[in-house]
Amino acid sequence: MGATDADATVDAGVAPALVDTIQHIEDGDVLVVNGDSRTWDVSDVVDRSIEDPNDARESKRVCRLSCGASVFGLELVAYPDRYTASLHVLATEDWTEDGQVFDVHDVEILTQQVPWVVVTGGGDRYHFPDPQAAAFGEAQPACGGGNPGATYRVVRSNTVRPTYSGCKDCLRHEKPVALESVTCPSCSKAICHGTFQGGAVGAVDGLSITCPRCGFDGVVDIDVDSGVVGVDDSTT
């Protein structure tokens, strides 16, 4: 991450998409900032108007982020003609970061909303299910970690959240995308629905289906960013 002086303007104006992302951060979210290896928990969010007529700023939003012993402040400042975003080091084990302010060019809010998760008795953390294990009726963490020798079970996520915290490896690397109902483009029979997850999800752009009702055999388009399903015209 590129650092700048604490008294300097961090950015001449950040992209609207980044502004929108920061404005939608909530307490309890899990973030990745600037693609850094740390995965941040959001422990507090404060919105504050600035009424001082001598201050060019109109308002600011500050998110308190924690990762281990490190505590940073993610700040979005609104000016009449632009926004700036910066990351302030409040506490850190790395003395080279102490007191610094970093430019912010990317923030990712990690998805925690999945219908099913796997947990083990006596634990306090949930994992995303391993799809391959689930296909054989087994419950295993998608990250391959967890407690060695522990027995896992599949439960609905709303029965353990927010009491349990999410596994950071699962949240960061599995990238779950909810897929709307897939229907046959020929006879409209519902074929499937569910969730895609895994590091290569972004490369998926189609789903091959065979309809048991009409026999359609082809590919439907998938937009993994939105979960929208369409029809690949070349196969119909």
Side-chain angles (χ1 to χ4, degrees):
M1 292 185 288
T4 185
D5 293 336
D7 295 332
T9 299
V10 176
D11 198 328
V14 297
L18 177 57
V19 173
D20 184 66
T21 298
I22 297 176
Q23 288 177 333
H24 282 84
I25 293 173
E26 298 179 352
D27 188 1
D29 281 344
V30 180
L31 312 178
V32 175
V33 180
N34 290 346
D36 188 68
S37 60
R38 285 170 288 202
T39 307
W40 299 98
D41 291 302
V42 180
S43 58
D44 197 9
V45 179
V46 176
D47 291 292
R48 184 166 298 166
S49 298
I50 299 174
E51 307 293 344
D52 186 349
N54 297 317
D55 194 327
R57 299 173 300 170
E58 295 182 334
S59 64
K60 66 178 180 179
R61 158 172 271 238
V62 182
C63 305
R64 184 180 178 89
L65 313 182
S66 61
C67 178
S70 296
V71 180
F72 284 20
L74 173 61
E75 183 177 78
L76 178 70
V77 177
Y79 291 87
D81 58 347
R82 71 189 191 282
Y83 286 88
T84 63
S86 55
L87 193 63
H88 300 250
V89 180
L90 306 179
T92 180
E93 294 179 309
D94 183 352
W95 65 268
T96 64
E97 294 181 329
D98 193 26
Q100 292 204 57
V101 179
F102 297 98
D103 297 341
V104 174
H105 54 76
D106 180 70
V107 174
E108 180 183 6
I109 304 175
L110 299 179
T111 299
Q112 301 182 67
Q113 299 290 346
V114 293
W116 301 94
V117 295
V118 298
V119 297
T120 184
D124 59 359
R125 180 175 300 178
Y126 67 83
H127 298 264
F128 292 164
D130 181 332
Q132 291 184 326
F136 291 95
E138 301 174 358
Q140 293 294 331
C143 63
N147 300 326
T151 300
Y152 286 87
R153 68 185 189 279
V154 178
V155 299
R156 287 193 177 275
S157 62
N158 59 9
T159 65
V160 296
R161 295 183 60 243
T163 304
Y164 284 31
S165 60
C167 165
K168 296 294 179 61
D169 285 340
C170 287
L171 293 175
R172 184 172 183 125
H173 300 296
E174 290 306 308
K175 309 292 185 184
V177 176
L179 183 68
E180 68 178 27
S181 180
V182 178
T183 59
C184 174
S186 179
C187 69
S188 300
K189 176 179 174 56
I191 303 297
C192 64
H193 69 278
T195 303
F196 278 122
Q197 67 182 52
V201 162
V204 177
D205 59 8
L207 184 66
S208 177
I209 65 170
T210 300
C211 179
R213 175 188 289 170
C214 71
F216 171 86
D217 188 1
V219 176
V220 292
D221 293 331
I222 295 175
D223 181 353
V224 295
D225 290 329
S226 64
V228 173
V229 180
V231 178
D232 184 342
D233 294 333
S234 65
T235 64
T236 59

